[in-house]
Amino acid sequence: MDYGICLLALVPMRAEASNKAEMVTQVLFGECYQVISQKDKWLQIQLATDNYRGWIDLNQHNSVSVAYFEKWQAAAHARVTDLLSFVENENIQIPVSRGAYLPFYEHGTFAIENRNYTFAGNVSLPDSEISKEKLTSLAVNFLKTPYLWGGKSVFGIDCSGFVQQLYGLCGYQLPRDAYQQVEHGQEVHFATQTQPGDLAYFANPEGRIIHVGMLLENQQIIHAAGEVRIDTLDHIGIYRSDRKAYSHQLRIIKRIN
C-alpha cells in the first residue's frame, strides 16, 4: 500500500483514469492521501481529509511513508490564509494558495517526511475556534472567485468546495459534496432566525440537494454560482436582484455547533 502528499498548489482528481474525465475535486498542497489502485499512469487515491476517491496523474504523485501518513492523519494542521504565497525548501519556491496545508507547522517551518519547509505568510492554526466573524472574513475574501466544478481553490471553486474550505480553515472538516454536508449540524427552522455561518441547502425538483451557501448578516448568502457572490435569502430560496428572479429553491438550513 502506497501513500502520498500533494507538493503542488493543487492537483486535479478525476472521476476516471483519463485527462478527459470529469474533475470531481482537487488535492491541495500538503494534503495527504492513500493510493487504492493503479491503472497505467493513473493512481486511484482516497484523501485523508474527507475520504473522497478519484484518480490523479502518476506524475503528480509524491510518496510518503505509512508512518508519516498515519501521523498526518491523526493531527490537525495549519492552513494558509493568504490569497497567494510561497513555501520554500532550500532554493525551491512552490506557489500555494488559500487552504493549503502546512503539516506540523511551528514558528514558520513545517515538515514533509525528512524535508523541512518554511512559510512566511499568514496561517489559520488548527486550534482556532469557529467564530461567525472568522467565517465571514474568510468568506468575503473568496468573492469573485470563478465557479469551477470540482474546484476548491481561489483559482476556481464549486459551491460545496467553497463551504468545505471555509469550515476547514476554521478547523471543522465537512464532507466534500453538498448532499453529504447537509447531514451535519442542527436545523434552523426559519430563514429569519439565521446567523452568520449557518449553511443553507437547496434542492432540485426531485428533492436532491444540489447547492449550498453560507449565511451572512441581514439574510444575505454568499455562495459559488458562476462566481463567489452575495445574494439575498428568504423562505423561498436565493433571490438574485440582478435578474429579478429566484435561482435556487431552499430545502433546509443547518447550524454547525
Side-chain angles (χ1 to χ4, degrees):
M1 184 71 69
D2 197 8
Y3 300 88
I5 192 167
C6 180
L7 292 184
L8 298 171
L10 58 85
V11 167
M13 184 190 296
R14 302 191 179 278
E16 303 292 341
S18 168
N19 279 316
K20 297 180 179 180
E22 169 192 5
M23 185 176 73
V24 292
T25 193
Q26 294 170 329
V27 196
L28 299 181
F29 179 90
E31 193 168 7
C32 264
Y33 53 85
Q34 177 179 349
V35 177
I36 304 301
S37 64
Q38 182 170 354
K39 183 178 181 181
D40 299 325
K41 73 177 191 73
W42 291 88
L43 298 178
Q44 185 185 35
I45 67 168
Q46 178 173 300
L47 295 180
T49 48
D50 57 17
N51 296 320
Y52 216 75
R53 288 193 177 192
W55 295 83
I56 66 169
D57 190 319
L58 175 63
N59 291 323
Q60 297 177 318
H61 168 61
N62 292 274
S63 292
V64 294
S65 66
V66 61
Y68 181 88
F69 175 83
E70 290 176 349
K71 184 180 177 183
W72 193 102
Q73 195 172 37
H77 304 289
R79 308 280 298 274
V80 172
T81 55
D82 292 336
L83 177 67
L84 182 64
S85 191
F86 295 91
V87 300
E88 297 190 33
N89 171 240
E90 297 176 350
N91 297 320
I92 298 174
Q93 284 189 323
I94 304 173
V96 295
S97 64
R98 185 174 297 133
Y101 292 79
L102 305 176
F104 314 109
Y105 174 89
E106 187 173 358
H107 306 303
T109 65
F110 64 98
I112 296 177
E113 287 283 25
N114 59 352
R115 293 161 290 178
N116 292 320
Y117 294 78
T118 60
F119 179 72
N122 296 302
V123 303
S124 178
L125 298 174
D127 59 351
S128 300
E129 68 176 62
I130 299 175
S131 70
K132 303 173 188 177
E133 293 77 18
K134 184 172 183 178
L135 282 168
T136 299
S137 175
L138 288 167
V140 298
N141 282 333
F142 276 92
L143 282 170
K144 303 303 290 184
T145 297
Y147 181 90
L148 176 65
W149 180 271
K152 59 181 192 182
S153 83
V154 295
F155 303 109
I157 205 162
D158 63 24
C159 65
S160 56
F162 175 53
V163 166
Q164 186 190 49
Q165 291 308 301
L166 293 180
Y167 270 87
L169 284 162
C170 290
Y172 187 94
Q173 181 65 55
L174 283 169
R176 180 60 179 85
D177 293 332
Y179 77 91
Q180 301 167 317
Q181 294 172 355
V182 75
E183 301 299 324
H184 287 242
Q186 302 297 317
E187 183 175 358
V188 179
H189 294 282
F190 301 100
T192 54
Q193 297 176 342
T194 61
Q195 299 176 5
D198 290 347
L199 300 179
Y201 295 90
F202 305 87
N204 63 13
E206 291 73 43
R208 178 176 171 82
I209 299 296
I210 58 167
H211 191 64
V212 61
M214 193 189 84
L215 274 295
L216 304 173
E217 296 280 5
N218 302 317
Q219 291 184 247
Q220 290 188 309
I221 184 168
I222 185 166
H223 62 128
E227 63 186 67
V228 175
R229 54 179 292 118
I230 296 175
D231 290 302
T232 301
L233 178 76
D234 62 22
H235 67 283
I236 297 174
I238 295 176
Y239 182 78
R240 289 191 52 160
S241 58
D242 58 332
R243 297 180 179 176
K244 295 182 171 54
Y246 286 92
S247 61
H248 296 85
Q249 180 180 352
L250 180 63
R251 175 64 180 85
I252 193 172
I253 300 171
K254 302 294 278 292
R255 180 169 298 155
I256 305 297
N257 298 320

